[in-house]
Amino acid sequence: MEGGSESCASWIRRPENRVLVVVGKPKIGVSLPLLEVFSFDVKTASLSADPLVTCAMGEEDGDPVGFAVHPSGEEIVCSTAKGCKLFELCDRDLIFKLVAKDLPPLHSVGPQKCLAFSTDGSKFVTGGQDGHLRIIEWPSLKVLLDEPRAHKCFRDMDISLDSEFLVSTSTDGSARIWKINGAAPMISLTRNPDEKIECCRFSRDGMRPFLFCTVQKGGKVVTAVWDISTWNRIGFKRLLRKPISALSVSLDGKYLALGSSDGDICVVEVKKMEISHWSKKHHLGTAISSIEFCPLERIVISTSNQRGAVITKLNVPADWKEWQIYFLLLFLFLGSAVIFYLFHEHSDSFWNFPLGRNQPNRPYLRTLVQDSQLADDQSPW
């Protein structure tokens, strides 16, 4: 896929724990804009040679510019130059089909810079180039919030793991926190007059309630951290010493991925806030427009105007697989059983103490019979 004409791409995690990739291709010459879905081989970190399904979009729809995939893996919202289109990914006997569905609240709303589903799939949020914010209940499509002046122009957006908060940033450097269930703004993140808050992502490990943002101050760029219980900035670190154009967090929250304006990919271990992987000039000097972690493996997919969609296997320590954990538990159990058996065989039991010099060697059963005959004796021991 490298060097292709893909304008956007995203992972799809299907109910059967299978990973697919959806890509969007712009109109070239007389060809119409396309959506294509590929199967993904985790072992080789590669896509299938041919797409599972191809869907041609109407010329009036405009080129695809971004995706939001529902957590179920069965619905895809595609942002275009004109608005948003909804597709249902159906499969029957491994034959896939993309079915266009109606999406009334987002017809002809113009290009949307940011799209996101909540973790539980019950909310869908869009942020437009015109600064318009919409929070929509899913799948009823009821509009919960319609704020036309949320920002001057949306830069980035993310939803917290518990689907309670929304963070959004503007091209003017401001950032706001929204209460999703209340469908109302909460606060604006504090910043110095010479600072611009750009990319933003919530932590995902369920243990540390943090918000990560890239902050540009003059020629310097740092990754800052906010505590979402107080919304106070608690620290920062300079990781990638160049402007950041894209930011992503792995689903387990262990890694951050940063894409630079000149095509670098940098992956950071959150626990140590240290760089674990760095691919320089990965997109041939052009800005990375999006970057996203694979749901199952330490692999990312990134897009840019120059190279299209690129899949990168990360050089980070491998995670324990589920079967490896079960094997370790079984090994520990069997090892404990062997140790217990050896201890039992080579130590005196309660019934096999060494007999005294004048103690008669009576069988255990006979002893029990004699003891039972004394049951009527009510005298104390």
Side-chain angles (χ1 to χ4, degrees):
M1 184 183 289
E2 297 183 10
S5 59
E6 302 82 17
S7 58
C8 51
S10 185
W11 301 100
I12 303 173
R13 186 174 183 174
R14 296 290 290 173
E16 60 272 15
N17 221 25
R18 182 182 182 186
V19 177
L20 309 176
V21 173
V22 57
V23 301
K25 294 185 176 181
K27 182 179 184 297
I28 300 178
V30 296
S31 64
L32 294 173
L34 296 176
L35 296 188
E36 294 181 333
V37 177
F38 293 84
S39 62
F40 179 70
D41 188 335
V42 174
K43 293 182 179 180
T44 62
S46 61
L47 301 183
S48 56
D50 299 312
L52 299 173
V53 59
T54 299
C55 178
M57 301 176 64
E59 190 171 355
E60 69 280 1
D61 295 326
D63 294 335
V65 295
F67 294 113
V69 179
H70 192 272
S72 67
E74 297 177 350
E75 293 175 302
I76 303 168
V77 178
C78 176
S79 173
T80 72
K82 303 293 180 63
C84 292
K85 291 183 68 70
L86 173 63
F87 296 89
E88 182 178 3
L89 182 60
C90 308
D91 73 286
R92 186 174 183 180
D93 298 329
L94 298 181
I95 298 177
F96 288 85
K97 186 177 181 181
L98 279 171
V99 180
K101 302 183 72 174
D102 199 23
L103 192 58
L106 298 175
H107 280 174
S108 304
V109 294
Q112 302 298 297
K113 286 286 296 292
C114 307
L115 307 172
F117 278 102
S118 61
T119 306
D120 59 7
S122 64
K123 305 292 188 303
F124 177 65
V125 185
T126 68
Q129 283 188 0
D130 57 359
H132 200 136
L133 172 66
R134 295 173 177 87
I135 300 178
I136 300 172
E137 190 177 60
W138 203 269
S140 68
L141 302 183
K142 177 184 177 182
V143 178
L144 302 178
L145 177 65
D146 191 313
E147 177 52 66
R149 288 184 290 275
H151 288 294
K152 179 180 178 180
C153 176
F154 270 82
R155 171 70 172 82
D156 200 8
M157 183 176 71
D158 193 34
I159 299 175
S160 63
L161 181 63
D162 58 6
S163 303
E164 185 176 356
F165 301 111
L166 168 74
V167 58
S168 59
T169 61
S170 172
T171 53
D172 62 11
S174 62
R176 302 181 72 179
I177 305 297
W178 307 77
K179 187 82 169 178
I180 292 183
N181 291 332
M186 285 182 56
I187 62 169
S188 295
L189 295 182
T190 56
R191 61 188 177 103
N192 296 326
D194 59 345
E195 290 182 335
K196 294 182 67 176
I197 303 174
E198 298 182 323
C199 301
C200 54
R201 287 296 182 272
F202 284 102
S203 58
R204 295 280 163 187
D205 62 358
M207 300 295 292
R208 304 173 182 86
F210 296 150
L211 169 65
F212 302 99
C213 294
T214 59
V215 180
Q216 184 167 350
K217 183 177 181 179
K220 297 182 179 180
V221 179
V222 298
T223 301
V225 183
W226 275 261
D227 184 343
I228 70 173
S229 62
T230 61
W231 300 113
N232 293 328
R233 191 190 302 198
I234 59 176
F236 67 89
K237 190 166 186 179
R238 195 174 183 187
L239 297 168
L240 198 56
R241 298 174 179 268
K242 54 185 68 179
I244 306 300
S245 57
L247 179 67
S248 181
V249 179
S250 62
L251 291 187
D252 59 4
K254 293 183 179 180
Y255 292 94
L256 280 174
L258 300 92
S260 74
S261 58
D262 63 354
D264 284 9
I265 290 178
C266 169
V267 176
V268 177
E269 185 181 356
V270 171
K271 186 177 181 179
K272 300 178 181 179
M273 287 303 284
E274 296 178 353
I275 295 176
S276 299
H277 175 99
W278 195 341
S279 298
K280 297 184 177 181
K281 305 298 181 183
H282 205 52
H283 282 261
L284 306 179
T286 57
I288 293 176
S289 54
S290 70
I291 187 168
E292 184 183 359
F293 281 90
C294 175
L296 300 181
E297 297 290 335
R298 299 304 183 196
I299 298 171
V300 296
I301 188 168
S302 54
T303 60
S304 67
N305 293 333
Q306 181 71 23
R307 293 193 68 185
V310 180
I311 292 176
T312 306
K313 191 168 186 178
L314 303 179
N315 185 24
V316 297
D319 294 315
W320 283 80
K321 305 296 184 183
E322 187 175 353
W323 68 268
Q324 292 174 319
I325 297 175
Y326 286 138
F327 181 80
L328 177 62
L329 293 175
L330 178 62
F331 176 79
L332 293 175
F333 174 77
L334 294 177
S336 301
V338 170
I339 293 173
F340 177 79
Y341 175 77
L342 294 176
F343 178 79
H344 176 75
E345 289 295 314
H346 293 84
S347 64
D348 293 329
S349 71
F350 179 79
W351 303 108
N352 291 319
F353 279 111
L355 297 175
R357 179 178 300 177
N358 300 320
Q359 183 177 356
N361 187 8
R362 296 179 299 171
Y364 164 58
L365 181 61
R366 182 180 174 185
T367 303
L368 288 181
V369 172
Q370 290 181 350
D371 289 344
S372 66
Q373 293 174 351
L374 298 177
D376 293 335
D377 186 0
Q378 301 299 322
S379 62
W381 287 99

